[in-house]
Amino acid sequence: MTMMHKFFGAAAALALTAGAAAAEPALIYDLGGKFDKSFNEAAHTGAQKWAEETGETYREIELQSEAQREQALRRFAEAGANPIVMAGFAFGSALDEVADDYPDTKFAIIDMVTDKPNVRSVVFNEHEGSYLVGMLAAMKSETGTVGFVGGMDIPLIRKFACGYVQGAKAANPDATVIQNMTGTTPAAWGDPVKGAELTKAQISQGADVVYHAAGGTGVGVLQAAADEGILGIGVDSNQNYMHPGKVLTSMLKRVDNAVYEAFSAGTDLETGIQVMGIANGGIGYAIDENNEALITAEMKAAVDEAAAKIASGELVVHDYMADSTCPVE
C-alpha cells in the first residue's frame, strides 16, 4: 500500500461496499470535522502518525449528522475495516447496536465505556490535566478571576470544569472562576462565534485567563482572548501555536496516542477499559516556544510537583463524573 490514506466524504463512506483490504483500520470523527484544531484533529494526528510509520492506509469519515453514526459503523464493518475507532462519547448508543452484529471486528471508542467483548473503551482523566492548567491560570492571573468555556453541557465537560476550578483554588484559594457552557446540543462543539461572545462576557466580569473545552467552538474563545489582550488556554491538542504569546498553555489529552495504539494493535487490539491519565502519559500540559515566556520557573515547578503527586496518588483530583458533584464550587 502507499502512504497516502483514503478519505471518504459523507456520501462516499456510506456507500462503501465489500472488498476493502482486510484489517485496514478506520477512524470516524465526531461532528465538528477532523480539522477542528482540537479533539478530532488529535485523533487525525494519531492516525497519520501510524500511516506514516507503517506505510499502510486507513479509512476515515467526517460525519455530517447524528444519523450517520450507526450507518458509518456498519458500512466500515461490512467493508472489512478492523479495528474501527470512534472519536467521541456520542457513538456509544450506535456502538451498542452494532458491536454484537460484528463479533469478529474490533472497535475502540474514545470517551465512552461500552461493555462489549469486542470493544476497547478509552477514557481519560481530563480532570487531572484541567487541575494543572487551573493552577497555571490562577498563578498567572492579575485580577484573581479566570474563566472556563465548555462546549456541550454534559458530565464530561463538567469534569473538565471541576478539575480546573480545583487547580485554580489550590493555587489561589481566593480565585473566582466564571463558567459558561455553549449549549445543550452537538451544535455547541462548532460555534466559534458563540465561544467568542462568551469569552468577551467573561472578560467584562474580570477574567484575564480563559480555558476552553469546547472543540471547534474553542477557536473563537482563543481568538477573542487574543484580540482582547488576555490569555487563553487550549485543550486536547497543543493549541499554543494558534496565537503565540497569547495562549498560556494547552491541556493535552492524548487522543492521538489512543488512536495510534489502536491502529498499531490492529486485529489484536485488547478490549476492555483503558484509562489514560497523567501517570501513563495520557494527560499533560504544553510548553513550547510559543508560550515558554509566559510560564515562570516557579509556576512550572509548582505544576510539575502537583503532576508528580497526582501520578503517585498522593494528590487525588475529584472526578465530577464519579458523583455528579464538584466540591469546590
Side-chain angles (χ1 to χ4, degrees), residues 276-288:
M276 300 184 72
I278 288 176
N280 60 1
I283 291 289
Y285 73 101
I287 296 182
D288 58 21

Side-chain angles (χ1 to χ4, degrees), residues 186-221:
W189 304 118
D191 193 346
V193 173
K194 183 66 175 294
E197 291 173 352
L198 291 173
T199 302
K200 290 176 182 178
Q202 293 187 357
I203 293 170
S204 72
Q205 299 173 68
D208 59 355
V209 184
V210 178
Y211 171 41
H212 85 85
T217 297
V219 173
V221 173

Side-chain angles (χ1 to χ4, degrees), residues 104-325:
D104 295 328
T105 299
K106 298 288 183 67
F107 299 90
I109 184 169
I110 298 170
D111 281 351
M112 175 60 70
V113 174
T114 299
D115 187 17
K116 299 289 183 180
N118 54 337
V119 173
R120 170 181 284 188
S121 299
V122 184
V123 293
F124 289 83
N125 292 340
E126 297 94 348
H127 53 303
E128 295 179 351
S130 295
Y131 182 99
L132 300 184
V133 301
M135 287 183 65
L136 288 173
M139 286 187 285
K140 191 66 174 180
S141 175
E142 297 179 359
T143 65
T145 298
V146 298
F148 174 85
V149 175
M152 188 175 175
D153 191 356
I154 53 174
L156 175 63
I157 301 304
R158 294 283 176 182
K159 179 180 180 181
F160 281 85
C162 185
Y164 181 65
V165 175
Q166 290 175 77
K169 295 284 190 180
N172 176 10
D174 297 323
T176 297
V177 183
I178 305 168
Q179 300 181 46
N180 292 109
M181 298 293 177
T182 305
T184 57
T185 70
W189 304 118
D191 193 346
V193 173
K194 183 66 175 294
E197 291 173 352
L198 291 173
T199 302
K200 290 176 182 178
Q202 293 187 357
I203 293 170
S204 72
Q205 299 173 68
D208 59 355
V209 184
V210 178
Y211 171 41
H212 85 85
T217 297
V219 173
V221 173
L222 297 180
Q223 183 68 59
D227 290 346
E228 298 294 324
I230 70 156
L231 295 172
I233 296 178
V235 78
D236 295 340
S237 299
N238 182 352
Q239 298 181 320
N240 296 352
Y241 73 94
M242 293 173 63
H243 302 281
K246 295 294 185 179
V247 179
L248 178 60
T249 187
S250 296
M251 196 286 279
L252 301 178
K253 178 176 175 179
R254 300 306 302 269
V255 175
D256 56 332
N257 287 350
V259 174
Y260 175 83
E261 290 172 10
F263 275 22
S264 296
T267 56
D268 294 325
L269 180 73
E270 292 185 6
T271 57
I273 299 174
Q274 179 185 25
V275 180
M276 300 184 72
I278 288 176
N280 60 1
I283 291 289
Y285 73 101
I287 296 182
D288 58 21
E289 68 277 8
N290 296 302
N291 73 326
E292 58 188 358
L294 299 173
I295 297 177
T296 66
E298 292 77 15
M299 291 168 64
K300 185 178 186 301
V303 172
D304 288 347
E305 180 182 0
K309 289 181 177 179
I310 291 171
S312 70
E314 181 181 349
L315 172 58
V316 177
V317 183
H318 181 78
D319 181 355
Y320 178 90
M321 292 183 72
D323 59 7
S324 298
T325 68

